[in-house]
Amino acid sequence: MHPIVAIENLKQHVGSTVTMRGWLADKSSKGKLHFLKFRDGTGFVQAVVFKGDVGEGFFDEVGRLGQESSLVLHGVVKSDERAPGGVEVSVVGGEILQKVEGFPITPKEHGPDFLLSNRHLWLRSRRQWAILRIRDCVAKAIRDFYEQEGFICVDSPIFTPAACEGTSTLFEVDYFDEEKAYLTQSGQLYAEASAMAFGKVYCFGPTFRAEKSKTRRHLTEFWMLEPEIAYATLDDVMQHAEDLLCFVVKRVLERRRVELATLERDVAKLEAIVPPFPRLSYDDAHALIEKHAPGQHEHGDDFGAPDETIISNQYQKPVMVHRYPHEVKAFYMKRDPHDARKALCVDVLAPEGIGEIIGGSQREEDLDVLRGRIAEHKLPEEAFSWYLDLRRYGSVPHGGFGLGLERTVAWICGIEHVREASAYPRMMYRIYP
RNA sequence: UCCCCGAUAGCUCAAUGGUAGAGCAUGCGACUGUUAAUCGCAGGGUUGUAGGUUCGAGCCCUACUCGGGGAGCCA
């Protein structure tokens, strides 16, 4: 028996004979040689089978294996400069678990419809392997960052009795007798309650938007991180967002080099993600757009996707745009004491066209002002009675933001579409597999 | 909800209104260093659905279905 070694650890076993358990990713043959691209979930390695080393029976059997056949291989680990990972394995034997024919996803090009319909199998391909391992790394980095910063994870509920902001379209579900529940579109309001109990908190989980958005930036189900910090001002929130993004990018650069290389990501662009990030007021951002595309953006309106592109293209780092007109923002955002027309809010726009990855604000903490806002937005006050209690019992300044995980991963990976940043993306016209 | 585009072999695509094609994949064969290997041979089709125009429709027209991109909205 040889030790079972994961492909990602092969470098530590150069010269010894090991066992690998996995799947055949690809194969090419030349005479008495088979070159197997072998994967085990932790990585990919080339395994070379010489007819003279393994005997004719096993050699011929391996030669007939189709893509994604499952097998166990025994072989000698050799460092080899010709190999992409620095090592390859000379096979001395093995066992075939299943011979596969007709695996649908070949190493050639495919269209998005076909790939998404085969998402359960597409996950095995190199690129998806790299993206989802980076997603895992990002999620872990987020939790590590908050542990380091003294935050407590208090998750918000997924079933909610009503809209959080009263704007987005919600998914409705039956909730026992005659009652309706809605899938959450944001954990923020609950996070505010949690922050009053624990000081610094975050929630991190799935959220749902029933809007009929069909773009490369939208999913109907996505993961959102929402920190909420008692006694925080808008400046604190912006500083916190900058710290978080720098921590996450640095971590991915430390631990996911192979995956970034697989995606052919320009790591210089990620290495440039260091403090400080540019901070731009809404008015400055408007002026910037006016300079590059006169007349495109009307002052007072929210920024559209083309506007965001112009802004983010001016910088190599995420851009923080703050203090939007309050009319285009949510009811719970505090007004700027220096300019009542503005809200104390911030959007963080990622570089390279992915758009907004963070939206946050300082919250209105005054009971009467907040009740007025609810009335102005024509929202039912009853639905917010528990939320208003937070302003009745020990109200303090506070703030936080929401970070879209898939958009963040898409930006870090340098991929076009957020759907690849989710293992099983849910979109308007797609809920299979 | 609105705008644009698409649907032909397992996949990606081609085909002036006139016999439905290629590359890749698959199967068989050759080759001891491949990296999207190469070379030879072979199999593979109700052109998304329904109707219409026409001597004749993959192609033109109408409707529908499914999908893609974008707007709005947002992360």
Side-chain angles (χ1 to χ4, degrees), chain A residues 5-11 14 18-27 34-49 71 73-80 82-91 126 129 258:
Chain A
V5 175
I7 289 173
E8 64 181 344
N9 297 326
L10 281 177
K11 283 187 289 287
V14 172
V18 303
T19 293
M20 303 185 297
R21 306 189 293 192
W23 297 264
L24 182 62
D26 195 12
K27 181 191 70 182
H34 294 309
F35 299 99
L36 313 181
K37 285 207 188 77
F38 192 70
R39 63 172 193 88
D40 71 348
T42 74
F44 293 77
V45 71
Q46 174 161 279
V48 186
V49 187
L71 67 162
L73 289 175
H74 316 295
V76 183
V77 184
K78 295 180 173 169
S79 73
D80 190 321
R82 292 170 296 187
V87 292
E88 67 171 33
V89 175
S90 290
V91 174
R126 236 183 168 100
W129 171 85
V258 171

Side-chain angles (χ1 to χ4, degrees), chain A residues 16-276:
Chain A
S16 54
T17 305
V18 303
T19 293
M20 303 185 297
R21 306 189 293 192
W23 297 264
L24 182 62
D26 195 12
K27 181 191 70 182
S28 69
S29 301
K30 190 168 172 33
K32 299 187 173 66
L33 277 170
H34 294 309
F35 299 99
L36 313 181
K37 285 207 188 77
F38 192 70
R39 63 172 193 88
D40 71 348
T42 74
F44 293 77
V45 71
Q46 174 161 279
V48 186
V49 187
F50 282 86
K51 196 173 190 172
D53 290 345
V54 296
E56 193 161 343
F58 184 71
F59 183 83
D60 290 346
E61 222 178 346
V62 168
R64 284 192 297 272
L65 292 180
Q67 190 185 344
E68 290 305 317
S69 293
S70 44
L71 67 162
V72 174
L73 289 175
H74 316 295
V76 183
V77 184
K78 295 180 173 169
S79 73
D80 190 321
E81 285 182 13
R82 292 170 296 187
V87 292
E88 67 171 33
V89 175
S90 290
V91 174
V92 296
E95 300 88 48
I96 289 154
L97 278 76
Q98 187 182 33
K99 296 175 184 173
V100 169
E101 267 180 48
F103 187 73
I105 302 175
T106 61
K108 303 300 175 186
E109 58 186 317
H110 299 286
D113 180 39
F114 176 78
L115 289 170
L116 288 165
S117 295
N118 289 283
R119 182 57 167 168
H120 52 299
L121 304 176
W122 187 23
L123 294 176
R124 305 182 188 192
S125 68
R126 236 183 168 100
R127 184 180 156 83
Q128 303 309 312
W129 171 85
I131 293 167
L132 290 170
R133 281 175 59 101
I134 289 172
R135 177 191 166 114
D136 167 72
C137 181
V138 169
K140 176 72 161 54
I142 285 170
R143 293 191 186 279
D144 287 351
F145 175 78
Y146 283 110
E147 183 182 12
Q148 168 191 304
E149 297 291 316
F151 282 60
I152 297 296
C153 178
V154 184
D155 285 320
S156 295
I158 288 170
F159 285 139
T160 61
C164 289
E165 302 178 24
T167 53
S168 303
T169 318
L170 298 163
F171 286 105
E172 188 180 284
V173 295
D174 290 328
Y175 200 74
F176 303 112
D177 311 320
E178 305 294 310
E179 261 201 272
K180 294 292 182 191
Y182 303 89
L183 300 184
T184 184
Q185 52 162 346
S186 166
Q188 179 202 312
L189 269 46
Y190 294 96
E192 288 185 49
S194 305
M196 298 306 126
F198 297 90
K200 297 192 286 186
V201 302
Y202 69 99
C203 63
F204 190 23
T207 52
F208 307 86
R209 302 278 168 95
E211 281 137 359
K212 294 186 174 177
S213 301
K214 279 183 61 172
T215 82
R216 65 170 178 278
R217 301 182 304 279
H218 288 89
L219 297 171
T220 55
E221 174 182 332
F222 66 95
W223 273 58
M224 188 151 68
L225 161 77
E226 297 182 281
E228 193 69 34
I229 310 167
Y231 289 99
T233 64
L234 177 63
D235 282 344
D236 295 332
V237 169
M238 290 199 283
Q239 186 59 50
H240 178 75
E242 182 180 291
D243 292 346
L244 170 70
L245 290 175
C246 290
F247 183 94
V248 168
V249 170
K250 186 161 170 270
R251 173 69 71 80
V252 173
L253 284 167
E254 284 164 5
R255 300 192 180 177
R256 289 291 182 266
R257 285 276 168 176
V258 171
E259 290 80 357
L260 290 169
T262 298
L263 296 169
E264 294 176 313
R265 182 68 167 115
D266 182 355
V267 290
K269 287 184 173 163
L270 296 178
E271 282 160 348
I273 306 306
V274 293

